[in-house]
Amino acid sequence: MMDDSPAISLQCGRHRLDLSFPRVMGILNVTPDSFSDGGRHLALDDALRHAERMLAEGAAIVDVGGESTRPGADPISPQQELERVAPVVEALVRELDALVSVDTSSPAVMREVASLGAGLINDVRALEHQGALEAAAGSGLPVCLMHRQGEPRDMQQAPRYDVPVEEAVADFLESRVAACEAAGLRRERLLLDPGFGFGKTVEHNLRLLNRMERLTHLGLPLLVGMSRKSMIGKVLARPVEERLPGGLALTALAVERGARILRVHDVGPTVDAANMTWAVLKEGCEHD
Ligand code: PT1
């Protein structure tokens, strides 16, 4: 069998991320609706405690996001995004020395968080915003390029594809990798993400996961985000707070199909599911 295993580690600022086995990225939302109440100080304190817990449970990365990109969400200004994200990134770096990823499409946010010590840029718009390629290239940080169809506001209104979804996703990601390389961002700094739930029906999402091997052929590490998403809700008829078992099944399959980073809310259980799956694939419990 051909081995499509990509480069086994990524330099993320001052952290080196070993991707020779599956790693977990914990989600830290700093959108206002993700905090129950309280002032800014309480919010920052809550964010830090939540991040600390995810790291203790085995997260390798904390992904900080100030703009909601779930279906129906409206975009926000870069200024607003920075106000939410910058204090959290700064605190995670200073207090926890964490490997921080920032979920952003804004060049201004990319530049600022890189200077604050973030280690990875996670862009659901694959650096398509004006100036984003240049900002990301200049940051020196690795970048996750994600596929999406449409914008969060309306992306779930009857998504359709003219070619098999995995081909559309592979073609798009390949063209963004080429755009990155043309902008001076070397392949060695890139990760790819199929973008589950971003302009895709449940059937598209299920097919994309089942055929994710198609994306491993691009030779770059794969990141996936399926945690608590409506694809689980629709298949199992479960509300968002009851989607963990479904999510763990998806984690096992994603690891088997080549994912190296799992972006999730429930870090501890996902670390166990990923490590157990990996042990079977490697027929042993050593991490290599
Ligand atoms: C993702 C992702 C992300 N997802 C990366 N970043 C979200 N790299 C935010 C639903 O159907 O998959 N990869 N950043 C969150 N987006 C969604 C999309 C949340 C769909 C929920 C759904 O429920």
Side-chain angles (χ1 to χ4, degrees):
M1 207 176 87
M2 210 176 74
D3 187 8
D4 289 308
S5 302
I8 39 115
S9 79
L10 268 184
Q11 194 63 42
C12 301
R14 65 198 181 286
H15 292 273
R16 194 155 187 96
L17 180 64
D18 180 1
L19 291 180
S20 62
F21 62 101
R23 308 306 296 264
V24 172
M25 169 187 268
I27 300 170
L28 188 63
N29 286 320
V30 292
T31 49
D33 51 50
S34 58
F35 294 114
S36 40
D37 56 10
R40 300 173 68 98
H41 204 78
L42 197 69
L44 183 59
D45 217 60
D46 277 359
L48 262 174
R49 278 192 296 116
H50 187 205
E52 204 165 18
R53 178 174 165 198
M54 293 195 291
L55 292 165
E57 289 180 353
I61 310 163
V62 177
D63 189 44
V64 179
E67 181 202 5
S68 174
T69 53
R70 60 184 54 236
D74 283 312
I76 59 166
S77 74
Q79 288 78 359
Q80 228 181 333
E81 203 184 328
L82 258 181
E83 278 173 31
R84 292 177 186 174
V85 159
V88 177
V89 172
E90 201 173 20
L92 290 175
V93 168
R94 193 188 53 225
E95 310 274 332
L96 307 176
D97 190 33
L99 168 41
V100 178
S101 145
V102 180
D103 194 337
T104 188
S105 300
S106 155
V109 174
M110 291 174 192
R111 276 190 289 271
E112 181 65 17
V113 299
S115 80
L116 294 174
L120 182 73
I121 293 166
N122 172 27
D123 185 3
V124 302
R125 298 185 185 82
L127 305 180
E128 285 192 321
H129 275 191
Q130 182 87 53
L133 277 169
E134 294 75 14
S139 74
L141 300 178
V143 180
C144 177
L145 303 170
M146 197 196 79
H147 173 272
R148 80 191 189 298
Q149 187 181 77
E151 277 297 311
R153 172 85 279 189
D154 56 10
M155 65 190 177
Q156 290 309 108
Q157 287 170 17
R160 59 178 302 278
Y161 292 85
D162 292 328
V163 296
V165 65
E166 68 280 7
E167 295 303 329
V169 169
D171 288 353
F172 171 84
L173 291 175
E174 207 153 22
S175 79
R176 295 312 296 158
V177 170
C180 284
E181 288 189 295
L185 237 160
R186 294 161 58 87
R187 287 181 79 85
E188 291 71 28
R189 275 170 60 193
L190 301 176
L191 297 142
L192 304 178
D193 184 335
F196 291 102
F198 285 84
K200 294 163 186 95
T201 63
V202 194
E203 290 75 17
H204 290 141
N205 288 315
L206 299 174
R207 178 181 171 117
L208 198 46
L209 177 58
N210 197 30
R211 299 177 190 230
M212 205 167 63
E213 210 212 337
R214 170 72 183 80
L215 303 180
T216 65
H217 296 162
L218 301 177
L220 296 174
L222 298 183
L223 185 157
V224 298
M226 297 183 282
S227 183
R228 300 182 186 172
K229 284 187 181 175
S230 55
M231 62 186 286
I232 304 170
K234 291 198 174 119
V235 171
L236 302 177
R238 299 287 181 207
V240 69
E241 65 277 10
E242 292 174 18
R243 295 178 185 170
L244 178 56
L248 295 176
L250 297 180
T251 286
L253 268 170
V255 167
E256 196 274 336
R257 301 290 200 263
R260 284 299 167 91
I261 302 181
L262 305 139
R263 180 185 182 276
V264 299
H265 301 88
D266 304 283
V267 170
T270 303
V271 167
D272 276 3
N275 287 344
M276 197 65 230
T277 306
W278 191 247
V280 175
L281 296 173
K282 295 294 143 187
E283 301 177 5
C285 47
E286 246 61 76
H287 269 160
D288 60 16

